[in-house]
């Protein structure tokens, strides 16, 4: 089994994985970071979104070995010194989550949307880009409101 | 109102763990030395199992063991049950076929589990499952509810025409007489499309057997862990209740699909003992979830509505064929009967109703309660035919509804329910105002200029939730009572723990239940903990479904709080040397009437446990109370939803231009959470109307919509923009519980489908359109008009 090493949430990590091991399994099983979820098997629900070198990626469709040397950020790594990331805070304040299962992926995807589209990102763009993430509880209403609210503060 | 009490928009206490990735869902839990299960599933819709050869698979790397129905039968593990007995018109009981946890002799739908492979890793279990050789004798199959009673494909020996029951409600002769004297009759054939619930967390389980204490533990994705424990103990015969702990930790959505007891979860508990006590973990793939979770809806109906010359409804006749799938799931039998036909009066004063329901077996996944359960089917049928009747009679659909609204309460319908309170006209008025109905014509003209067809649709729904009382549901065939329990434990320092039999899987109970305690005891909301989902902590409960946790679950807490207050008053009286009758309790402080003596709640709590200041032979030490609340009636939330759509005439694409929801939920504990429930419910309703539909191939019996590539889940882009989604509330107090609460969890999913379809048919000027109204369906519906125009 190949040995891999990468940075996850700013910490150097390493492990031995099979060639076929997915990044999400490496994160959940090897590292015990269970905030990143698996909600489908066709790369559509987005519950598994993490950042690789600053870009949102579905970790269920990424091989762990392909991330050798990369810098990976998961939902556990975005609060700084006990202060929530503005996107986390906005999801809380706007009631942008109910069961919470899709939430980590939603937050990670939303941070990327704002980074790429700026503070003035339109509702139209948020809705179009968030269509890579599925939520069954909220009807997206408050998620969109949360992203708009966080965009102003990021 | 305090800033954390009843009616306050309190931000959720449970959020932090979810937004920081610290939630603990079943698949996040790993037990020492655990193994992994993977199920071998039937590739055929209907077949005999001729032989299962596991020899090759057992030699695969990492395989611990493989089990089939042979081992299940050796250990005498009972089959899955359906907990609601329905009797046919002729008095005979429903025809329940056997439902073993692993298929025995025959498979009855694609995905039926045939064997389980236990291995050291999930990948090894999956690889070995592919090597299990099952020899099938393929049988004729049927996936279509409408064909079930005509087909040669007999699913169960016990039901020769595939009919589970032929049930009826209402007075047939009186209804026929009303139709004979009617001035106008509207007829409609409707299909309520089959849906797949799709909670974002798939089902999962970890079964664990301790060989020393002979005690079982099951971690599982359940909406009602106590019922799971009861069924696994009493019917599967695995372990008596005191030897089985069921834990439903954080659960990632349910929508009904996690109410039920499934074979996979039971198998994990049983298999753990069979392999010598190592834990067995199973997490469904999304593909497995599509195949094996209980689906929803799937009705084929014919309805007739009779009106007199003044446009007053005088009668309703309905015949429905309801697919049960291949087996009767836990509560499936009550969905198209007592949760469906009892709602056919809607918000209307209809003097005569007769409904007949044929529940049928098909070679498909079992069908059971999905958000709304029976009530969306009733509302879709009634609101589609009412809208159609208004159009035929050329009466404005709002006016037609108003003319027929029930205005006097209590109101006894001809289909069991006695509505206790409501003001349907008020909700309609508010919805008309919020949606700016009077200016619809100008918006329609503006849409037309952009080449779009605009339509408006109404839905005036009623829902019966908080299913109750236990004696009443028992007389209708329910195998369990539908009460709820609560235990309130006040700690010596004055903090409070509430143990509830309700289960939160997105509803926000940790916040709303704490708001009730904060309001009643004056305790800081952060000093209240809500404990649920563990049968070792909470003694017994009925779980969360049917929008019952407010009206039933919180009432149980409220009653326990009454007892806490009464006991605390006695303690306070003893300590302050006063009569209990002279003690007042307000905002967390006990005072003695006419004096300046007072004690804070925390001081009384401490005094209750210290026990120095009162005679413990008269007042028992401690401050802990329990209540089991059995409601005296169902609760009846209702509302009016208005949808406007814009249809692109070139592509057939329907956009929700605006959506207005006005609901009467009685007392609202936390408006923020209630609005979230409405928004989420409406999204599922829009999903049913425009996007979602489970489709089995008639020829092969295969599920064609088996992944998110084929089953179209609602996405952010499908929903109305924030400014175009308007919510409003009206209020009538529910008289059957002290808090005056109704229920809000299912309203959106119930109300939305007819509102959307009424809007599309209004836009297109057609009589009906099938759900889901995909661009292709809508485009096809427009072609006759286009040809006529050319």
């Amino acid at each position: 089994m190949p040995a891999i090493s990468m940075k996850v949430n700013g910490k150097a990590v390493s492990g031995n994985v099979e060639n076929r091991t997915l990044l999400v399994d490496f994160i959940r099983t090897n590292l015990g970071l269970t905030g990143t979820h698996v909600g489908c098997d066709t790369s559509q629900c987005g519950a598994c979104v993490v950042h690789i070198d600053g870009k949102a990626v579905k970790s269920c469709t990424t091989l762990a070995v392909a991330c050798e040397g990369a810098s990976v950020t998961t939902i556990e790594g975005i609060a700084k010194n006990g202060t929530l990331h503005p996107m986390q805070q906005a999801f809380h304040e706007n009631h942008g989550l109910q069961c919470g299962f899709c939430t980590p992926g939603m937050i990670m995807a939303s941070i990327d949307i704002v980074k790429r589209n700026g503070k003035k990102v339109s509702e139209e763009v948020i809705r179009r880009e968030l269509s890579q993430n599925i939520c069954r509880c909220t009807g997206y209403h408050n998620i969109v409101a949360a992203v708009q609210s966080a965009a102003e503060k990021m | 109102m305090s800033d954390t009490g009843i009616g306050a928009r309190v931000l959720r206490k449970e959020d932090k763990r979810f937004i920081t990735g610290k939630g603990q869902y079943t698949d996040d839990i790993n037990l020492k030395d655990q193994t992994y299960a993977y199920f071998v599933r039937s590739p055929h819709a209907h077949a005999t199992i001729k032989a299962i050869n596991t020899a090759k698979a057992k030699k695969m790397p990492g395989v611990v063991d493989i089990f089939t129905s042979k081992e299940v039968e050796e250990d005498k593990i009972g089959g899955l049950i359906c907990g609601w007995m329905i009797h046919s018109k002729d008095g005979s009981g429903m025809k329940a076929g056997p439902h073993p946890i692993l298929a025995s002799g025959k498979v009855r739908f694609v995905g039926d589990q045939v064997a389980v492979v236990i291995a050291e890793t999930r990948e090894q279990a999956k690889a070995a499952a592919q090597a299990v050789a099952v020899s099938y004798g393929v049988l004729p199959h049927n996936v279509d509810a409408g064909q079930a009673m005509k087909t040669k494909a007999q699913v169960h020996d016990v039901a020769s025409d595939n009919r589970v029951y032929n049930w009826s409600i209402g007075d047939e002769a009186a209804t026929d007489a009303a139709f004979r004297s009617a001035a106008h009759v509207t007829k409609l054939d409707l299909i309520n499309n089959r849906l797949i619930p799709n909670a974002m967390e798939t089902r999962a389980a970890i079964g664990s057997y301790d060989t020393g204490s002979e005690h079982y533990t099951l971690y599982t994705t359940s909406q009602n862990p106590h019922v799971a424990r009861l069924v696994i103990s009493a019917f599967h015969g695995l372990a008596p209740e005191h030897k089985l702990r069921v834990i439903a930790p954080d659960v990632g959505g349910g929508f009904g699909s996690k109410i039920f007891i499934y074979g996979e979860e039971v198998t994990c508990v049983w298999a753990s003992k069979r392999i010598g006590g190592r834990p067995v973990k199973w997490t469904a793939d999304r593909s497995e979830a599509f195949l094996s979770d209980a689906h929803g809806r799937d009705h084929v109906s014919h309805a007739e509505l009779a009106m007199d010359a003044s446009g007053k409804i005088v009668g309703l006749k309905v015949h429905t064929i309801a697919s049960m799938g291949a087996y009767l799931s836990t509560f499936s039998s009550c969905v198209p009967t007592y949760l469906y036909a009892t709602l056919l009066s809607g918000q209307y004063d209809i003097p005569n109703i007769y409904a007949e329901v044929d529940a049928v077996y098909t070679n498909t996944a079992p069908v059971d309660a999905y958000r709304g359960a029976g009530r969306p089917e009733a509302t879709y049928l009634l609101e589609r035919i009412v809208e159609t009747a208004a159009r035929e009679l050329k009466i404005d659909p709002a006016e037609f509804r108003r003319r027929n609204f029930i205005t006097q309460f209590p109101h006894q319908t001809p289909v069991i329910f006695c509505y206790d309170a409501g003001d349907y006209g008020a909700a309609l008025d508010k919805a008309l105002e919020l949606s700016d109905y009077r200016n619809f014509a100008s918006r329609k003209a503006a849409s037309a200029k952009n080449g779009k067809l605009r339509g408006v649709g109404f839905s005036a729904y009623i829902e019966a939730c908080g299913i109750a009382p236990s004696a009443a549901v028992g007389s209708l065939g329910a195998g369990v009572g539908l009460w709820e329990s609560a235990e309130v434990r006040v700690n010596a320092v004055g903090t409070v723990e509430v143990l509830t039999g309700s289960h939160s899987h997105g509803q926000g109970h940790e916040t709303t239940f704490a708001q009730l305690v904060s309001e009643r005891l004056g305790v800081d909301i952060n000093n209240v903990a809500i404990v649920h989902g563990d049968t070792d902590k909470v003694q017994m409960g009925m779980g969360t479904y049917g929008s019952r946790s407010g009206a039933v679950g919180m009432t149980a807490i409220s009653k326990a709080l009454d007892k806490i207050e009464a006991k605390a008053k006695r303690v306070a009286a003893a300590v302050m040397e006063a009569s209990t009758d002279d003690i007042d309790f307000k905002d967390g402080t006990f005072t003695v009437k006419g004096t300046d003596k007072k004690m804070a709640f925390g001081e009384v709590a401490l005094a209750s446990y210290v026990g120095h200041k009162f005679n413990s032979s008269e007042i028992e030490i401690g401050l802990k109370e329990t209540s089991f609340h059995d409601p005296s009636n169902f609760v009846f939330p209702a509302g009016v939803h208005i949808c406007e759509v814009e249809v692109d005439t070139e592509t057939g694409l329907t956009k929700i231009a605006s959506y207005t929801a006005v609901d009467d939920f009685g007392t609202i504990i936390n408006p923020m959470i209630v609005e979230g429930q409405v928004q989420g419910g409406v999204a599922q309703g829009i999903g049913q109307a425009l996007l979602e539909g489970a489709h089995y191939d008639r020829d092969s019996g295969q599920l064609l919509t088996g992944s998110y590539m084929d089953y179209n889940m609602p996405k952010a882009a499908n929903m109305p923009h924030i400014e175009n989604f308007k919510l409003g509330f009206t209020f009538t107090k529910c008289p059957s519980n002290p808090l005056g609460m109704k229920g809000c969890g299912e309203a959106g999913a119930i109300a939305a489908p007819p509102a959307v379809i009424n809007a599309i048919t209004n836009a297109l000027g057609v009589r009906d359109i099938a759900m889901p109204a995909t661009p292709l369906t809508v485009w096809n519906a427009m072609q006759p008009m286009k040809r006529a125009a050319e």
Side-chain angles (χ1 to χ4, degrees):
Chain A
M1 287 205 293
I4 53 166
S5 55
M6 64 184 84
K7 238 184 201 178
V8 174
N9 299 331
K11 234 170 72 182
V13 298
S14 57
N16 293 306
V17 297
E18 292 183 64
N19 284 321
R20 65 176 175 176
T21 300
L22 299 168
L23 178 61
V24 68
D25 291 326
F26 179 68
I27 291 170
R28 285 179 59 81
T29 308
N30 294 50
L31 305 181
L33 295 170
T34 56
T36 302
H37 296 150
V38 179
C40 76
D41 41 24
T42 49
S43 195
Q44 274 151 329
C45 80
C48 65
V49 171
V50 299
H51 295 170
I52 301 177
D53 296 328
K55 287 181 182 157
V57 173
K58 287 180 173 170
S59 63
C60 76
T61 329
T62 307
L63 292 170
V65 290
C67 299
E68 171 66 34
S71 178
V72 175
T73 307
T74 71
I75 188 69
E76 290 93 342
I78 57 171
K80 291 279 176 268
N81 305 320
T83 305
L84 294 175
H85 186 281
M87 192 62 74
Q88 290 172 305
Q89 188 66 27
F91 268 67
H92 173 54
E93 288 174 1
N94 290 276
H95 187 34
L97 63 150
Q98 291 181 24
C99 82
F101 193 82
C102 77
T103 309
M106 282 283 178
I107 288 175
M108 299 309 280
S110 298
I111 291 171
D112 190 61
I113 290 171
V114 173
K115 271 191 187 164
R116 283 184 291 100
N117 295 284
K119 285 185 189 307
K120 299 279 175 212
V121 57
S122 70
E123 181 171 352
E124 193 71 34
V125 168
I126 294 170
R127 285 185 182 274
R128 189 173 65 232
E129 297 212 356
L130 269 186
S131 293
Q132 303 301 314
N133 290 65
I134 302 176
C135 168
R136 193 51 149 172
C137 295
T138 63
Y140 305 100
H141 193 87
N142 290 338
I143 291 177
V144 174
V147 178
Q148 286 181 318
S149 157
E152 290 162 16
K153 290 165 195 154
M154 270 172 67
Chain B
M1 182 181 91
S2 76
D3 56 358
T4 59
I6 291 174
R9 302 179 79 90
V10 180
L11 295 179
R12 296 203 322 170
K13 294 177 63 178
E14 47 269 82
D15 281 355
K16 190 171 178 193
R17 67 179 185 272
F18 297 128
I19 56 179
T20 56
K22 301 292 184 191
Q24 279 283 290
Y25 301 90
T26 299
D27 190 57
D28 298 338
I29 296 163
N30 293 296
L31 301 183
K32 190 168 171 283
D33 216 16
Q34 78 189 6
T35 62
Y36 294 82
Y38 199 87
F39 288 86
V40 177
R41 295 182 184 277
S42 169
H44 300 293
H46 200 195
T48 55
I49 300 170
K50 294 202 277 194
I52 303 175
N53 188 339
T54 58
K56 188 177 152 211
K58 276 186 177 167
K59 289 184 196 136
M60 301 262 295
V63 172
V64 176
D65 215 332
I66 299 175
F67 303 126
T68 66
S69 64
K70 180 174 160 282
E71 289 76 22
V72 173
E73 282 154 21
E74 266 173 27
D75 286 355
K76 299 188 173 54
I77 301 303
L80 298 159
I81 56 147
C82 178
W84 199 305
M85 171 53 85
I86 299 293
H87 287 91
S88 287
K89 260 166 80 176
D90 66 7
S92 61
M94 67 185 186
K95 301 189 170 55
H99 191 182
I101 62 169
L102 293 174
S104 175
K106 212 174 149 183
V107 287
R108 294 179 171 87
F109 69 102
V110 172
D112 209 351
Q113 61 263 23
V114 174
V116 61
V117 179
I118 318 281
E120 298 294 339
T121 72
R122 186 175 150 79
E123 291 70 26
Q124 288 169 335
K126 201 169 180 175
Q130 282 164 6
V132 172
V134 186
S135 156
Y136 293 101
V138 176
L139 297 168
H141 67 266
N142 168 56
V143 295
D144 184 343
Q147 296 300 312
M149 291 183 288
K150 304 170 196 162
T151 174
K152 286 190 182 120
Q154 189 184 335
V155 183
H156 286 279
D157 294 343
V158 69
S160 58
D161 58 355
N162 287 322
R163 191 147 63 160
V164 182
Y165 52 75
N166 163 238
W167 175 89
S168 72
I169 191 168
D171 187 334
E172 185 173 20
T175 306
D176 282 341
F179 270 78
R180 281 194 295 273
S181 62
H184 183 84
V185 174
T186 297
K187 300 179 181 180
L188 206 53
D189 290 299
L190 292 165
I191 289 177
N192 204 290
N193 45 331
R194 178 186 273 248
L195 302 176
I196 303 179
N198 273 301
M200 292 317 298
E201 178 205 29
T202 57
R203 284 190 293 126
I206 312 171
S208 166
Y209 177 71
D210 185 316
T211 54
S213 61
E214 298 177 330
H215 192 287
Y216 295 83
T217 304
L218 170 64
Y219 290 86
T220 186
T221 50
S222 174
Q223 296 177 225
N224 51 350
H226 291 88
V227 177
R229 183 174 73 152
L230 172 65
V231 171
I232 292 170
S233 297
F235 295 95
H236 299 292
L238 256 169
E241 281 182 289
H242 69 292
K243 291 278 190 188
L244 171 62
R245 177 184 187 185
V246 178
I247 301 170
D250 287 330
V251 173
F255 314 109
S257 67
K258 293 172 181 169
I259 300 171
F260 321 121
I261 320 302
Y262 294 89
E264 292 92 342
E265 287 87 330
V266 181
T267 298
C268 287
V269 194
W270 162 67
S272 174
K273 182 180 183 185
R274 189 88 201 188
I275 63 167
R278 291 181 67 188
V280 177
K281 181 174 187 174
W282 169 73
T283 305
D285 292 338
R286 180 58 62 185
S287 318
E288 284 185 283
F290 272 102
L291 288 174
S292 67
D293 287 358
H295 294 181
R297 319 288 190 251
D298 204 357
H299 283 196
V300 179
S301 295
H302 175 75
E304 299 186 9
L305 191 71
M307 274 72 58
D308 68 14
S310 68
K312 170 86 185 63
I313 302 169
V314 294
L316 172 67
K317 271 198 294 199
V318 175
H319 178 251
T320 292
I321 302 174
S323 176
M324 296 279 99
Y327 300 98
L328 295 186
S329 173
T330 315
F331 287 112
S332 58
S333 56
C334 73
V335 175
T337 49
Y338 293 110
L339 296 183
Y340 166 66
T342 51
L343 269 300
L344 286 171
S345 196
Q347 298 187 357
Y348 310 110
D349 181 10
I350 307 180
N352 303 286
I353 299 175
Y354 178 72
E356 203 164 308
V357 178
D358 287 306
V360 295
Y361 287 118
T362 58
N363 295 108
T364 61
V367 178
D368 207 325
Y370 165 62
R371 201 170 193 169
R375 293 152 291 179
E377 295 91 317
T379 302
Y380 185 69
L381 180 136
L382 188 63
E383 287 305 290
R384 285 288 298 115
I385 200 165
V386 160
E387 187 94 8
T388 307
R391 289 173 192 170
E392 287 178 357
L393 295 171
K394 300 194 173 11
I395 305 174
D396 177 85
E399 166 55 25
F400 182 71
R401 285 177 169 83
R402 196 188 299 278
R403 205 175 282 183
N404 285 286
F405 275 162
I406 293 160
T407 53
Q408 299 292 316
F409 296 89
H411 174 87
Q412 178 63 53
T413 73
V415 279
I416 295 184
F417 284 140
C418 183
Y419 299 168
D420 51 11
D423 186 345
Y424 307 142
L428 177 59
D429 289 341
K430 192 157 191 173
L432 290 171
E433 185 197 319
L434 272 178
S435 68
D436 189 28
Y437 181 60
R438 80 178 66 131
N439 292 314
F440 172 71
S442 67
R443 290 192 296 277
K444 186 174 174 73
S447 295
K449 273 190 193 156
N450 296 323
K452 306 273 170 63
L453 292 173
R454 197 176 185 103
V456 61
F458 288 77
S459 174
Y461 77 96
I462 188 165
E463 176 183 8
C465 43
I467 304 175
S470 295
V473 297
S475 73
L476 300 178
V480 288
L482 289 166
W483 45 266
E484 195 45 87
S485 78
E487 181 179 326
V488 176
R489 296 179 183 167
V490 179
N491 297 316
V493 292
T495 61
V496 180
E497 284 151 21
V498 176
L499 286 74
T500 169
S502 301
H503 186 277
S504 188
H505 32 278
Q507 295 87 344
H509 295 172
E510 289 170 50
T511 304
T512 51
F513 289 9
Q515 284 180 251
L516 172 61
V517 175
S518 174
E519 171 94 15
R520 289 290 306 274
L521 301 182
V523 174
D524 187 314
I525 198 168
N526 294 312
N527 288 336
V528 182
I530 307 300
V531 178
H532 67 98
D534 184 341
T535 61
D536 262 15
K537 294 179 180 166
V538 180
Q539 184 221 341
M540 187 57 179
M542 295 310 296
T544 288
Y545 43 85
S547 305
R548 68 191 304 273
S549 297
V552 190
M554 287 183 84
T555 301
I557 297 171
S558 179
K559 286 184 159 183
L561 289 169
D562 290 342
K563 295 183 190 176
I564 290 282
E565 188 179 320
K567 168 85 183 280
K569 276 183 173 173
R570 294 178 66 204
V571 173
V575 176
M576 293 192 279
E577 296 175 329
S579 156
T580 305
D581 294 340
D582 288 337
I583 302 291
D584 287 330
F585 180 56
K586 201 176 169 232
D587 300 331
T589 305
F590 295 88
T591 52
V592 182
K593 278 189 185 85
T595 74
D596 59 356
K597 287 186 183 175
K598 61 180 180 183
M599 283 179 83
F601 179 76
E603 292 176 284
V604 175
L606 186 63
S608 304
Y609 287 94
V610 173
H612 293 172
K613 300 276 178 68
F614 54 86
N615 183 344
S616 61
S617 64
E618 285 172 10
I619 302 174
E620 230 176 87
I621 299 283
L623 196 51
K624 180 176 102 165
E625 298 289 350
T626 301
S627 174
F628 283 73
H629 168 65
D630 196 26
S632 59
N633 194 0
F634 286 69
V635 296
F636 299 98
V640 173
H641 290 204
I642 301 177
C643 177
E644 283 187 28
V645 297
E646 259 192 346
V647 177
D648 186 318
T649 52
E650 293 299 315
T651 63
L653 183 72
T654 300
K655 193 180 126 194
I656 305 291
S658 73
Y659 197 96
T660 305
V662 174
D663 299 286
D664 176 0
F665 297 137
T667 303
I668 289 173
I669 303 295
N670 184 329
M672 176 192 82
I673 285 177
V674 169
E675 287 162 9
Q677 289 291 316
V678 175
Q679 289 152 356
V682 167
Q684 285 179 336
I686 290 173
Q688 170 164 28
L690 295 182
L691 308 165
E692 299 179 45
H695 194 82
Y696 282 93
D697 182 59
R698 197 168 286 204
D699 295 334
S700 66
Q702 297 295 323
L703 180 66
L704 298 182
T705 49
S707 80
Y708 290 145
M709 310 233 262
D710 328 291
Y711 188 90
N712 198 359
M713 290 283 280
K715 319 280 189 331
N718 301 120
M719 295 300 124
H721 276 217
I722 289 173
E723 61 174 7
N724 298 326
F725 195 167
K726 301 188 183 85
L727 299 184
F729 297 104
T730 55
F731 174 78
T732 58
K733 190 172 189 288
C734 174
S736 69
N737 64 69
L739 297 166
M741 296 179 73
K742 298 183 181 179
C744 67
E746 298 159 294
I750 292 170
V756 175
I757 296 298
N758 285 339
I760 297 175
T761 52
N762 175 254
L764 268 50
V766 298
R767 191 177 158 80
D768 190 25
I769 196 155
M771 295 194 291
T774 61
L776 177 62
T777 302
V778 172
W779 189 87
N780 280 332
M782 286 190 294
Q783 297 320 299
M785 292 187 295
K786 284 190 179 168
R787 280 194 293 273
E790 277 160 14

